[in-house]
Amino acid sequence: MTDDFNVIVTANTAPSSAGLTNQVWTFDSAQSYVFPAFTDAQSDTFTYTGFACVPAATGITMTAATRTISMAASGQAAGTYACTITADDTYTNGVGTGTFNIKVNTKPVQTALVA
C-alpha cells in the first residue's frame, strides 16, 4: 500500500511596513512619533532591529519596544532626514524596511518690534 501526498512550501516574506507617515517637527522642542506596527505575512515573530536617518541624526532615536521615534528638546539640527526602520523575522529573506521623512523646522527668527 502506498500513500501519495504533496508538500507545499511557501517562501518566507519579510515583515512589511504600512502607514508610515512623514513628520514635521519643531526645532528645540521634544517630539515623538509612534509608528504603526509592521506586519508579517506568515505571522512570524519579528523584532525591530535598526533605525537610521540620512543625513545622520544622532538626536533622533528609536525605542523598539514601544515603536517610538523621539527627539529631545535640543537634540537635532534643522533639516530633512530620510529615516529607515528595519524589522527582522530571522528567517531567509526575513529583513524588511520602511521609510519616512522627518523635517525639523528651523528655529523661528525673532524680529525687532517697531515702537
Side-chain angles (χ1 to χ4, degrees):
M1 174 182 234
T2 307
D3 283 333
D4 291 331
F5 62 92
N6 292 324
V7 174
I8 299 172
V9 177
T10 303
N12 184 55
T13 57
S16 62
S17 66
L20 291 175
T21 56
N22 293 334
Q23 302 293 299
V24 178
W25 290 356
T26 304
F27 183 82
D28 275 352
S29 176
Q31 304 283 305
S32 66
Y33 167 52
V34 177
F35 62 89
F38 283 34
T39 58
D40 189 278
Q42 292 79 34
S43 298
D44 296 329
T45 299
F46 61 87
T47 56
Y48 298 103
T49 57
F51 173 72
C53 297
V54 175
T58 58
I60 301 173
T61 60
M62 177 179 77
T63 302
T66 61
R67 299 190 331 270
T68 303
I69 308 298
S70 302
M71 179 180 75
S74 59
Q76 191 59 48
T80 300
Y81 301 87
C83 301
T84 301
I85 299 168
T86 304
D88 187 348
D89 69 12
T90 71
Y91 296 104
T92 300
N93 300 320
V95 176
T97 60
T99 60
F100 65 102
N101 291 328
I102 297 174
K103 180 179 180 182
V104 178
N105 283 335
T106 58
K107 189 173 185 176
V109 175
Q110 185 175 11
T111 57
L113 297 175
V114 177

